[in-house]
Amino acid sequence: MSITVTNLSKNYGAQKVVNNISFTINKGEIVGFLGPNGAGKSTTMKMITGYLQADGGTAQVCGITVHINNNETKSKIGYLPEANPLYVDMYVREYLAFVGSIHNVETSKQKIEEIINTVGLTLEANKKISQLSKGYKQRVGLAAALFHNPEVLILDEPTSGLDPNQIIEIREVIKRLGQNKTVLFSSHIMQEVEAICDRVIIINKGNIVADDTLSNLQKGNTSTQNITVGFTEDINMEWLQKLQDVTSVTTGSPFTYQLSTNNSDGVKKQLLQLAIDKNLTIQNLQSQASSSLEDVFRSLTS
């Protein structure tokens, strides 16, 4: 196993941020690590990389226990944290040479150019990091994570700040790297996870609520339905949120709302009764089976 997490826990004061979680990831796997803000994703990643001490349990990377051999495990990991730390007064090539020297690896011009080309930095490589857009700074961080050719990549929001074209390019980089490395990455972009991952781990309030292949998660969620209801006027959203068996409510086009539920027929009856009680006019009302990763995520973390 390239990553083994066993009963890992972390507390901040009285709050248990990560609650006794366990999972394993093999070489060649690209695993999406999902959860709402504050669910414990970044904290877990920091403990695996050794940047944060666990309060309980263990994390192993390539068979090495992180808290016992911290420096050795860091040599096995390429880490791109959510807050991408860069020396912005350095030029791109200068910074990558600096990163290589830290890892005691070859810093030849050829090696630097290969990394620059891999992450698509060629057009911006002559600039200072401070002159780069957020998206290109993100690429510099990814290049730094890759420079020492690590066996394990841990990427926290790697496509943050990228435009749609850049996201597709970085997606292809991650997919290519995942063929012979272990990749654990978090993202709030569900389409990104669906495009890259075969397996997904979902954490909520410090607990793992799902760990399965993407196809199995979607199959297991077919009982969830999306109901779209449109009114002729704006309404109080709390009326919809208080309906029985409704797990989430979002707004679409004006006066249109989407409700997630495991009891479609019951919610439809309640909507009709709501319209009568509040003197509302329903323009349209329809439902469909829900099986996207976004729907799975919402049903498990609402």
Side-chain angles (χ1 to χ4, degrees), residues 166-184:
Q166 293 172 331
I167 287 174
I168 292 172
E169 292 170 7
I170 295 302
R171 176 195 300 171
E172 293 305 313
V173 171
I174 294 172
K175 288 173 67 176
R176 188 166 63 249
L177 293 169
Q179 294 175 4
N180 54 20
K181 296 184 186 297
T182 302
V183 181
L184 175 67

Side-chain angles (χ1 to χ4, degrees), residues 236-273:
N236 188 336
M237 200 163 166
E238 288 187 1
W239 296 343
L240 303 177
Q241 293 169 336
K242 290 179 179 178
L243 296 179
Q244 188 176 359
D245 296 324
V246 169
T247 57
S248 67
V249 180
T250 56
T251 58
S253 54
F255 314 148
T256 301
Y257 305 85
Q258 189 173 77
L259 294 70
S260 292
T261 180
N262 292 321
N263 182 8
S264 177
D265 290 339
V267 171
K268 285 180 180 178
K269 290 177 182 177
Q270 292 179 76
L271 286 169
L272 294 173
Q273 188 61 52

